[in-house]
Amino acid sequence: DAGITQSPRHKVTETGTPVTLRCHQTENHRYMYWYRQDPGHGLRLIHYSYGVKDTDKGEVSDGYSVSRSKTEDFLLTLESATSSQTSVYFCAISEPGTGASNQPQHFGDGTRLSIL
Amino acid sequence: EDQVTQSPEALRLQEGESSSLNCSYTVSGLRGLFWYRQDPGKGPEFLFTLYSAGEEKEKERLKATLTKKESFLHITAPKPEDSATYLCAVQAGTSYDKVIFGPGTSLSVIP
């Protein structure tokens, strides 16, 4: 199994509070991603990182920010949580592709976040 | 618009009853099609990567194939432990925000 640890695994919080989720990898992979998974929507990309301090927005980035100060850690922050951000959040990692081929992403086991 | 669809949405098989799951895609510049298995409460687990039409990959009872418009995941003589949701994902171009996941097929294998 890819060495990806997400913390916390479960969290319940109230609307308006800040929340930070952590993803830690031991694989030294260059790319890291944050997804959310909701019924009827599948996996949707929130933000990704292609190196330390290099990040970019994904499909559903509004209300989320990220930081990557070390290769192994990628943090996802909800500045002021809303009920619409109740979801399961997954972190993924991958290596750069070669030529015309891309490498697969490997996923952590997720954080189940409930915002009341 | 780049899109990935999967069918059926759910599939119920008797143990030993072989079948196929479908992943159809419309993207330009395919750079990889990925199959994942996801168990309840877990993250997606990588199964296969396919890069070009005609390519096939096998692992135990699973075989993935790729054409220019779709991929099939064939399950031969499934067992109850094959029950899971199977996700298909497509990567187009060189940008890493261009991985598109399908909605998945929920497979149940009944003893």
Side-chain angles (χ1 to χ4, degrees), chain A residues 34 36 44-48 56-66 76-79 85:
Chain A
W34 278 107
R36 60 179 290 175
R44 291 181 292 173
L45 183 66
I46 304 171
H47 281 281
Y48 65 101
D56 208 344
K57 296 178 180 180
E59 175 189 0
V60 290
S61 60
D62 287 349
Y64 302 94
S65 62
V66 291
L76 176 71
T77 298
L78 291 65
E79 301 290 348
Q85 294 176 310

Side-chain angles (χ1 to χ4, degrees), chain A residues 5-13 19-22 34 86-90 109-115, chain B residues 40-43:
Chain A
T5 304
Q6 292 188 233
S7 60
R9 292 296 316 279
H10 303 272
K11 186 172 182 67
V12 180
T13 190
V19 177
T20 296
L21 308 183
R22 180 180 184 238
W34 278 107
T86 291
S87 186
V88 181
Y89 291 85
F90 288 100
D109 280 338
T111 293
R112 185 171 295 275
L113 178 63
S114 297
I115 301 164
Chain B
K42 296 283 202 174

Side-chain angles (χ1 to χ4, degrees), chain B residues 27-87:
Chain B
V27 297
S28 56
L30 180 71
R31 292 175 62 85
L33 185 142
F34 311 102
W35 280 99
Y36 291 86
R37 169 195 171 123
Q38 186 173 22
D39 293 299
K42 296 283 202 174
E45 175 189 351
F46 170 69
L47 294 173
F48 303 111
T49 305
L50 301 167
Y51 291 110
S52 56
E55 190 174 359
E56 299 182 351
K57 293 276 180 71
E58 285 190 67
K59 180 180 179 180
E60 297 181 358
R61 295 176 293 281
L62 301 177
K63 179 180 177 180
T65 62
L66 181 65
T67 72
K68 289 188 177 180
K69 295 292 185 184
E70 57 192 349
S71 176
F72 292 93
L73 185 65
H74 307 278
I75 303 174
T76 301
K79 298 182 178 181
E81 53 261 43
D82 294 322
S83 297
T85 296
Y86 290 85
L87 303 175

Side-chain angles (χ1 to χ4, degrees), chain A residues 9 31 33 35 37 42-43 45 48 57 90 94-97 99-109 112, chain B residues 30-32 34 36 38 41-46 48-49 51 87 91 93-99 101-103:
Chain A
R9 292 296 316 279
Y31 297 102
Y33 313 80
Y35 289 89
Q37 188 174 41
L43 281 159
L45 183 66
Y48 65 101
K57 296 178 180 180
F90 288 100
S94 74
E95 281 284 78
S101 305
N102 283 80
Q103 296 298 312
Q105 297 176 9
H106 298 275
F107 287 80
D109 280 338
R112 185 171 295 275
Chain B
L30 180 71
R31 292 175 62 85
F34 311 102
Y36 291 86
Q38 186 173 22
K42 296 283 202 174
E45 175 189 351
F46 170 69
F48 303 111
T49 305
Y51 291 110
L87 303 175
Q91 188 149 26
T94 56
S95 173
Y96 283 85
D97 66 342
K98 289 298 185 185
V99 176
F101 281 83

